[in-house]
């Protein structure tokens, strides 16, 4: 088949090829894929083609497969880069902003006040367990109370923290996340 004959077949099947690409998730790339398909078909050095329509659709399928493979390679390369940089984005500081530091300090003060409001013993038990890393049995022996009493003090502290968390979450604006580029905050 000559180049003109293949072009006529391509133009005849162009709407069908377009739907073929769209049905396989090409999205906005349909026109780019059609262009690339035509360039490959036009430049291919082949002999006579028995079924030119099947030939074009096989080329279209191979083109999609090549794109998927390239996307997979790109994704792996990006994952490796992220692993090498330990998740940090180049030219973006991992240091929290001054606003984030102030908010975190204020939240810590609120949590400290909530723990202190539970009483001296509960606060001491909670801090020994969660901050100092002592186990419950050692705390019980140190203070001279039962293991069950230590567990009850911890439960009291945890209930208070859940309540504080609920109040803080209710007072906070909508959660924010980084956009794709990692530079701007975007509300969910």
């Amino acid at each position: 088949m000559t180049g003109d004959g293949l072009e006529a077949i391509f133009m005849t099947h162009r709407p069908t090829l377009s739907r073929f690409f769209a049905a396989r998730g090409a999205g906005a790339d349909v026109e780019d894929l059609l262009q690339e398909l035509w360039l490959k078909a036009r430049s291919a050095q082949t002999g006579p083609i028995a079924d030119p329509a099947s030939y074009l659709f096989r080329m279209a399928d191979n083109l999609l497969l090549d794109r998927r493979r390239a996307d997979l390679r790109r994704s792996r390369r990006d994952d490796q880069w992220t692993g090498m940089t330990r998740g940090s984005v180049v030219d973006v500081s991992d240091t929290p902003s001054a606003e984030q530091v102030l908010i975190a300090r204020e939240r810590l003060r609120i949590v400290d006040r909530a723990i202190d409001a539970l009483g001296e013993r509960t606060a001491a038990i909670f801090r020994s367990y969660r901050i100092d890393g002592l186990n419950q049995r050692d705390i019980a022996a140190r203070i001279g109370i039962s293991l069950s009493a230590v567990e009850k003090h911890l439960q009291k502290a945890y209930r208070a923290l859940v309540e504080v968390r609920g109040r803080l979450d209710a007072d906070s604006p909508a959660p924010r996340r980084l956009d794709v580029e990692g530079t701007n905050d975007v509300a969910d």
Side-chain angles (χ1 to χ4, degrees), residues 30 35 41 47 54 69 86 90 111 121 132 168 175:
V30 170
Q35 178 69 22
S54 294
R69 288 177 181 156
R86 295 194 180 108
V90 178
V111 168
R121 179 173 272 184
D132 299 336
L168 289 174

Side-chain angles (χ1 to χ4, degrees), residues 25-47:
D29 292 337
V30 170
E31 288 300 319
D32 290 341
L33 287 165
L34 285 169
Q35 178 69 22
E36 191 172 342
L37 175 64
W38 172 243
L39 291 173
K40 283 185 182 238
R42 184 81 171 165
S43 65
Q45 298 294 325
T46 61

Side-chain angles (χ1 to χ4, degrees), residues 95-105 185:
T95 306
S97 69
E99 179 185 20
Q100 291 169 323
V101 170
L102 288 173
I103 290 170
R105 285 181 181 161
D185 285 340

Side-chain angles (χ1 to χ4, degrees), residues 57-69:
F57 279 96
R58 172 54 62 194
M59 285 185 77
D61 195 40
N62 287 340
L63 187 60
L64 287 172
L65 186 59
D66 290 344
R67 285 250 174 134
R68 282 190 205 107
R69 288 177 181 156

Side-chain angles (χ1 to χ4, degrees), residues 6-19:
L6 187 58
E7 182 176 358
I9 298 294
F10 179 82
M11 294 310 289
T12 301
H13 290 287
R14 190 175 193 286
T16 309
L17 286 165
S18 179
R19 287 191 302 274

Side-chain angles (χ1 to χ4, degrees), residues 22-176:
R24 284 154 181 80
D29 292 337
V30 170
E31 288 300 319
D32 290 341
L33 287 165
L34 285 169
Q35 178 69 22
E36 191 172 342
L37 175 64
W38 172 243
L39 291 173
K40 283 185 182 238
R42 184 81 171 165
S43 65
Q45 298 294 325
T46 61
I49 301 170
D51 188 357
S54 294
Y55 176 75
L56 287 173
F57 279 96
R58 172 54 62 194
M59 285 185 77
D61 195 40
N62 287 340
L63 187 60
L64 287 172
L65 186 59
D66 290 344
R67 285 250 174 134
R68 282 190 205 107
R69 288 177 181 156
D71 288 344
L72 185 59
R73 282 191 304 270
R74 186 178 312 108
S75 176
R76 284 186 192 141
R77 188 175 52 246
D78 290 348
D79 289 345
Q80 288 174 346
W81 171 251
T82 302
M84 288 183 346
T85 59
R86 295 194 180 108
S88 64
V89 178
V90 178
D91 294 335
V92 176
S93 174
D94 291 337
T95 306
S97 69
E99 179 185 20
Q100 291 169 323
V101 170
L102 288 173
I103 290 170
R105 285 181 181 161
E106 179 58 27
R107 286 181 169 218
L108 181 59
R109 279 193 288 276
I110 291 169
V111 168
D112 269 343
R113 284 194 301 260
I115 295 296
D116 289 339
L118 297 174
E120 188 176 320
R121 179 173 272 184
T122 302
I125 290 170
F126 176 78
R127 288 186 176 111
S128 295
Y129 182 67
R130 296 302 294 181
I131 295 172
D132 299 336
L134 297 176
N135 66 41
Q136 293 178 16
R137 190 171 312 286
D138 290 343
I139 295 169
R142 180 190 289 177
I143 297 176
I145 60 175
S146 69
L147 182 59
S148 175
V150 170
E151 291 171 353
K152 288 178 184 172
H153 282 285
L154 288 173
Q155 288 173 358
K156 183 178 176 183
Y158 290 138
R159 281 193 299 274
L161 290 177
V162 167
E163 186 178 308
V164 167
R165 175 76 185 259
R167 283 194 319 259
L168 289 174
D169 288 348
D171 293 341
S172 295
R176 301 184 68 77

